[in-house]
Amino acid sequence: MEDEPATLDGQFFEFARLMDNKRDGTTITLYRSDYWMRQAKLIDDRKLTMTETGVLWWKFCKTEISWDEWYEFLTDLCKSKEMDQEYVENALTNCGIPGTTPVSVPIYREFFDTYKPKEKMYQRALSVPHLYYIIIVTVIGVVGHVFVVINRQALSTNPKTTVLLNDRPAALFHNVLNVVCICMPLMVSHGAPIDYCTPALDVCR
């Protein structure tokens, strides 16, 4: 006896009962729908992502939707992504029942494979450009601080210079901070660890 050809609504029933055969198969969740599309090689996390399916899914404001609602969702998805709906339906129909082919559903943390614990950032060796930026910013800060101290001493020892130098320390200090705050984003954009930039950024806030 030959097997009956697969149908889209039949596939809906099978994937609606994914991992729970006690379900009646009349409604499907977003996870099961995404799993189905991933098995059909439609979701590849590049041309089509789970974020995009999720945005269209919540048009219904439900965690589970019926066959008619799901087909409306599929139509909207094909229109928004400019996908050939006939091709999509054929892929979903002929991808096999759940478990026919292995499907890897990425976990949230897998999207952040480049994440490194904070303490490891201190262990990373600085490149030459990073050192240049740090040296330049440090020299600017030290020179600015020296000028502020000199001006303060001049004010305290010679009150007659008050009119000439009264606003200079504050103005100079703020100018130095402005330069530092400009340099910090440049350091970060060139790959300098954010931990080296935090002290100056705290002052600039």
Side-chain angles (χ1 to χ4, degrees):
M1 183 177 179
E2 295 182 359
D3 295 335
E4 295 182 0
T7 60
L8 187 61
D9 57 347
Q11 288 286 86
F12 176 90
F13 174 81
E14 294 294 338
F15 280 91
R17 300 169 68 239
L18 175 69
M19 297 183 292
D20 186 359
N21 291 330
K22 294 181 180 179
R23 292 172 56 87
D24 57 14
T26 58
T27 59
I28 192 169
T29 62
L30 175 60
Y31 177 85
R32 291 178 169 88
S33 177
D34 283 348
Y35 188 99
W36 183 8
M37 291 187 179
R38 196 173 286 278
Q39 181 164 317
K41 310 299 183 184
L42 296 174
I43 292 182
D44 57 1
D45 300 316
R46 290 177 177 80
K47 295 181 180 179
L48 181 61
T49 67
M50 293 187 296
T51 300
E52 292 166 326
T53 59
V55 169
L56 291 174
W57 185 277
W58 289 109
K59 162 188 175 181
F60 302 96
C61 299
K62 297 179 181 178
T63 56
E64 300 188 22
I65 58 178
S66 64
W67 157 256
D68 292 332
E69 292 170 326
W70 181 84
Y71 193 80
E72 180 182 346
F73 155 79
L74 184 65
T75 302
D76 292 342
L77 181 64
C78 292
K79 288 181 180 178
S80 65
K81 297 298 295 181
E82 298 181 350
M83 301 167 65
D84 182 1
Q85 186 163 348
E86 183 178 356
Y87 168 81
V88 171
E89 290 184 14
N90 285 334
L92 292 169
T93 301
N94 300 313
C95 68
I97 61 175
T100 303
T101 56
V103 176
S104 175
V105 179
I107 303 174
Y108 177 77
R109 185 167 290 278
E110 291 181 4
F111 289 109
F112 300 93
D113 290 335
T114 57
Y115 169 79
K116 294 182 179 180
K118 190 173 182 179
E119 58 271 11
K120 290 187 178 181
M121 298 176 70
Y122 292 103
Q123 299 173 5
R124 187 175 66 175
L126 287 175
S127 63
V128 174
H130 299 160
L131 290 174
Y132 284 159
Y133 279 119
I134 293 174
I135 292 171
I136 291 172
V137 173
T138 302
V139 170
I140 292 173
V142 171
V143 172
H145 180 72
V146 169
F147 272 104
V148 169
V149 172
I150 292 174
N151 284 340
R152 286 178 179 173
Q153 291 177 349
L155 287 171
S156 61
T157 57
N158 189 357
K160 293 182 180 181
T161 60
T162 301
V163 177
L164 296 176
L165 299 178
N166 188 31
D167 294 330
R168 290 186 182 180
L172 182 60
F173 186 65
H174 284 295
N175 288 336
V176 171
L177 284 182
N178 288 336
V179 173
V180 172
C181 290
I182 292 172
C183 290
M184 288 303 108
L186 291 174
M187 292 174 61
V188 176
S189 65
H190 283 74
I194 190 65
D195 297 277
Y196 297 107
C197 310
T198 301
L201 292 175
D202 288 338
V203 175
C204 298
R205 288 191 179 101

